[in-house]
Amino acid sequence: MESAHPFRHPSRPNAEAAISRIAPWRLLPPLLAAVLGLWGLERGGSMWRDESVTWQVAHRPLGAIGELLGRVDAVHGLHYALMHGVFQAWDGGLWALRLPSVAATALAAAGVAAVAHRLAGERAALLAGCVYAVLPPVQMYAQEGRSYALVAAAVAWATYLMLRERWPAYAAVLLLGCWLHEFAALALLAHAFTAWRTRGWRLSAAVVAVLLLPLGVVSARQAEQQLGWLGRPSWQDWVAYAVVGGAALLLARDAPRDLVRVALPLVLLPPGVLMVISLINPWYVDRYVLYALSGLALLAGVRLARARGGWPWLLAAALLVPFGIWSVWLRTPESRKDDVLAVAAAVRERARPGDAVVFMPARRREWLLSSPELYGELRDVALDRTPAASHSLQGTELPPDRIRAALLASPRVIALMDPVGQPLDPYPREVVKREELAARFDLCSMTGVRGARVAVYARPGGCG
């Protein structure tokens, strides 16, 4: 008989055997989330204005990004730095812009499954992770070049680390989520229901709060400029919160007590507290607390795993129909407020050499900033200092009298405007633009584009 070599290691299993031993609850939720994220990732070649901000800011030098953050958008600073690194490594257009969110959503689905496995077993883990992946709002922000999917992943894994009592890792991961968007700190309120008696959690929460304080101070100074566009929560917001909260309460019935203590506060507290605060300071947008849906997925997964009759599965199957329709719609340009690439295409079709361009209001300059080759061919007659030079998002504009003179010196003007029905800014610069175009120019054409209007004006007799 041949003797074994004393230094020979046992043969390692091949890759297929290794993969076959991976539990389905570990593999399928992130795989499903990744497939759904990659499906229709380009959204018909569209990009909306929030993503455009990410694109144009992340393409600035790091020093210029830092100067911007001292004035505005500090809350998104870490995400801009991350995306700057992505674009430096691979300037892959819409794919490079959105792939980090796809990966983060897959990571979040894995985190939800890990929490469910810890509290309710493998079957609940598989179902909870898959439920999270198919929720339409989760799919929406899996395909968006903003920070919200990354924040959700950080909160999901921080929740798991809390259950494992890995306090240094918990503090680091949750702090990462908070620096990606500071409203992730509201997850601490939910986690307190589970871990407030634990000394390690209290110390970790204090560390997170202290290390988040610099961002909080800076962003508080920027709040009026950053969030001034927000109104108080609408009745639709309250209805949506009531529906999600009511569903969570129903799903929590007869669920394991430890899981309810984790999941239910996560569903109810971050959005609820932010909405109440927004009655005084309007700060609420549902995507700011996207991570709360992980609690709903945990409760739904456990309910399906423990179902003894067919009705929970029938209800889940019935929901797949509207979810499917919603999912298809989310992958169209119409699912977002506007489409900066469609606006740029409409301008490109109508522009002539030497045309002036004017933005009404000035913040709509964002519609062309992500198409620098086109923007560079037009004369931005109201612009004083560029976004990069002014360390701002949309640049600064000339005084009203100089805007008037610049318009009158232009034989042909392309005006980019909000859709009909939007409130008109009362500021003197905006009033001058509207008055001069109406009084001194002929309207040659008006074209509606998703979330915008592209108008061509010419001096009298110049439309032909």
Side-chain angles (χ1 to χ4, degrees), residues 65-429:
I65 294 175
E67 291 170 336
L68 167 74
L69 300 179
R71 295 171 178 261
V72 69
D73 247 12
V75 68
H76 296 299
L78 181 58
H79 186 242
Y80 291 150
L82 169 66
M83 293 307 300
H84 176 82
V86 170
F87 286 127
Q88 287 292 304
W90 175 50
D91 201 349
L94 293 175
W95 281 76
L97 178 67
R98 294 172 184 158
L99 275 178
S101 292
V102 175
T105 302
L107 192 61
V112 171
V115 172
H117 180 258
R118 183 80 180 172
L119 296 173
E122 290 194 7
R123 183 175 170 84
L126 174 64
L127 291 167
C130 289
V131 167
Y132 181 82
V134 302
L135 290 173
V138 170
Q139 293 186 55
M140 179 174 184
Y141 294 105
Q143 296 191 328
E144 195 150 296
R146 296 296 272 176
S147 65
Y148 310 113
L150 283 77
V151 174
V155 171
W157 280 102
T159 304
Y160 174 74
L161 292 166
M162 174 189 69
L163 297 175
R164 296 290 304 272
E165 298 189 359
R166 304 289 178 85
W167 300 120
Y170 168 82
V173 171
L174 188 57
L175 183 63
L176 174 65
C178 291
W179 272 85
L180 284 165
H181 197 287
E182 61 188 325
F183 288 162
L186 293 172
L188 285 170
L189 300 178
H191 291 168
F193 271 78
T194 301
W196 69 274
R197 293 182 179 179
T198 308
R199 183 175 179 275
W201 180 84
R202 294 198 298 269
L203 180 60
S204 298
V207 168
V208 170
V210 169
L211 295 181
L212 184 60
L213 188 60
L215 177 62
V217 170
V218 174
S219 60
R221 291 202 300 262
Q222 299 175 356
E224 184 174 352
Q225 181 181 4
Q226 186 77 34
L227 301 174
W229 60 276
L230 286 173
R232 290 177 174 79
S234 65
W235 68 266
Q236 293 96 328
D237 293 323
W238 289 105
V239 168
Y241 177 72
V243 169
V244 172
L249 290 169
L250 288 174
L251 292 168
R253 293 178 59 188
D254 302 324
R257 183 178 177 184
D258 287 346
L259 184 134
V260 171
R261 287 176 60 195
V262 171
L264 199 56
L266 200 53
V267 178
L268 298 177
L269 286 181
V273 169
L274 189 57
M275 291 175 77
V276 170
I277 291 173
S278 296
L279 294 176
I280 302 170
N281 293 311
W283 292 347
Y284 177 78
V285 181
D286 56 359
R287 58 182 177 267
Y288 293 168
V289 286
L290 176 70
Y291 57 84
L293 291 178
S294 60
L296 183 66
L298 287 168
L299 293 167
V302 170
R303 171 62 68 176
L304 288 173
R306 295 192 165 204
R308 293 292 177 264
W311 70 265
W313 287 99
L314 289 174
L315 178 60
L319 286 174
L320 287 178
V321 176
F323 278 19
I325 296 171
W326 194 352
S327 297
V328 171
W329 177 73
L330 287 174
R331 288 156 176 84
T332 66
E334 289 72 30
S335 63
R336 269 57 171 189
K337 288 183 178 179
D338 59 9
D339 181 357
V340 301
L341 299 183
V343 173
V347 171
R348 190 176 289 110
E349 289 178 2
R350 290 155 181 77
R352 299 177 185 173
D355 277 354
V357 64
V358 65
F359 301 89
M360 304 165 59
R363 58 184 176 274
R364 298 300 176 246
R365 187 169 279 105
E366 190 58 53
W367 285 335
L368 293 189
L369 291 178
S370 52
S371 298
E373 74 293 339
L374 171 63
Y375 181 59
E377 295 174 356
L378 300 168
R379 294 185 302 109
D380 190 345
V381 292
L383 184 68
D384 182 16
R385 302 177 69 203
T386 66
S390 61
H391 312 310
S392 65
L393 292 177
Q394 284 89 34
T396 58
E397 294 204 330
L398 297 165
D401 57 335
R402 293 185 62 187
I403 293 176
R404 178 183 292 108
L407 284 172
L408 292 177
S410 303
R412 198 166 181 270
V413 178
I414 296 177
L416 303 186
M417 300 181 287
D418 281 334
V420 174
Q422 293 298 308
L424 299 176
D425 283 17
Y427 311 122
R429 289 178 174 88

